[in-house]
Amino acid sequence: MGTAHHGKQFFGGLRAAALALALALVMTGCGAKPVEVDPTPYLTVEFAGMSGEGTASWTFDGDGFAASCGDGVKDAAGLAACVNGSLDKAEGLSNGDTVTFQWACDADTAKTTHNAILAPENATFTVEGLDEWVSALDQIGQADWDTMAAAGEDALRQREGEGILSADCLGGYMLVRTDFSSEMVDVHNMLYVAYKVQARLPDNSVQPYYAAVGFSDLVRHGDGSVETTGDYGFMAYGNIDIQVGGDYYNFTGFYSLDEMNTECIDGYSGMYTVESNVTEA
């Protein structure tokens, strides 16, 4: 009888152990359900260069992604290596274009090895922040305009000498290159800052005239600031000869605003479009 009693305990223990194992397997199966993870928040796309010739590049923050995966993912750092993709366009970009990052993740390895599901949607980005050639006067902020107007006046005074009493800024002419077939002028744009000048002559009389000082290849940076990357301080061609006594005095400028308009606007027709906000002071 004693032996039979112990046998019942033995078989009862086996049944309990089998039940515990079955429960453990069920629980293990529930815990093994793959975890959905999205790598998109850890993708960065950056743009560089000049608008029209811009480039795009991408980086993926694998460490940040791995840290966000949670305990259900096996070897999160290894999972990060399953993440990959490419941009549908990475060169010749202009501000306002769109580029799409197309994911190419190793979904099989992610699921079988790392207990994760990688199925992000393709991400679209708008190109912005590229440098661009200035094409309109209103792209030049007041601070940059004031800086160029002051630099233009300094260049005018250095060229014409101490006889310049005043140089009042009248606005400017914005010239944007449209025809690159000619080798005569090879800059992308030019800004002529216009002035009404008062010059004192040796007999103390005052000669008024008009002058325009040029800046070339103006670039508008992604932050909105404008920089002259070409030549600056050159004068719009004009010639004033004044005789005082037996001597002649020469200034680079124009007797009238109409003459300066003709030189700075009509003189560049065909190769440039011209915008002007020059008005009489």
Side-chain angles (χ1 to χ4, degrees):
M1 293 293 292
T3 303
H5 176 72
H6 289 298
K8 287 181 181 179
Q9 287 183 332
F10 175 74
F11 287 113
L14 284 178
R15 286 195 295 268
L19 179 60
L21 178 60
L23 289 173
L25 289 173
V26 170
M27 293 182 67
T28 301
C30 291
K33 182 180 180 180
V35 179
E36 293 187 10
V37 290
D38 185 5
T40 306
Y42 303 93
L43 170 70
T44 300
V45 174
E46 296 181 329
F47 306 104
M50 182 70 67
S51 184
E53 305 170 0
T55 60
S57 60
W58 65 277
T59 55
F60 178 67
D61 179 8
D63 292 339
F65 170 68
S68 72
C69 286
D71 296 335
V73 173
K74 300 177 182 178
D75 183 17
L79 175 63
C82 296
V83 178
N84 204 347
S86 62
L87 292 163
D88 66 339
K89 187 177 182 181
E91 297 180 348
L93 301 174
S94 300
N95 286 325
D97 289 350
T98 57
V99 298
T100 299
F101 186 84
Q102 299 170 331
W103 294 97
C105 299
D106 185 352
D108 290 340
T109 301
K111 187 173 182 178
T112 58
T113 304
H114 303 287
N115 194 44
I117 295 176
L118 287 174
E121 295 183 0
N122 293 337
T124 299
F125 300 84
T126 299
V127 179
E128 59 184 2
L130 297 178
D131 292 348
E132 56 187 349
W133 299 113
V134 173
S135 60
L137 286 168
D138 63 9
Q139 292 178 333
I140 305 173
Q142 190 62 50
D144 290 320
W145 176 264
D146 292 343
T147 297
M148 283 187 285
E153 181 177 345
D154 287 344
L156 188 154
R157 290 179 177 276
Q158 290 177 16
R159 182 182 180 90
E160 305 293 24
E162 297 179 356
I164 302 299
L165 298 175
S166 64
D168 296 326
C169 184
L170 306 180
Y173 305 94
M174 188 73 234
L175 287 72
V176 179
R177 183 70 178 269
T178 59
D179 178 12
F180 281 87
S181 63
S182 171
E183 296 182 357
M184 293 178 60
V185 182
D186 58 0
V187 299
H188 289 83
N189 58 38
M190 288 188 292
L191 171 69
Y192 278 113
V193 181
Y195 302 88
K196 185 172 184 178
V197 183
Q198 303 287 340
R200 186 185 299 280
L201 300 175
D203 61 358
N204 286 325
S205 63
V206 175
Q207 173 64 49
Y209 70 96
Y210 299 86
V213 182
F215 302 78
S216 68
D217 282 340
L218 276 65
V219 171
R220 186 172 187 264
H221 296 301
D223 62 2
S225 63
V226 172
E227 178 186 7
T228 300
T229 63
D231 293 335
Y232 69 93
F234 53 91
M235 308 287 292
Y237 179 75
N239 189 55
I240 296 176
D241 281 320
I242 301 171
Q243 184 177 7
V244 178
D247 297 322
Y248 284 90
Y249 296 87
N250 177 267
F251 298 97
T252 303
F254 308 88
Y255 285 105
S256 71
L257 190 57
D258 286 342
E259 288 182 10
M260 188 164 67
N261 286 340
T262 298
E263 169 64 22
C264 292
I265 297 177
D266 296 347
Y268 290 94
S269 62
M271 288 188 296
Y272 288 85
T273 61
V274 183
E275 176 191 2
S276 172
N277 63 2
V278 176
T279 56
E280 182 69 69

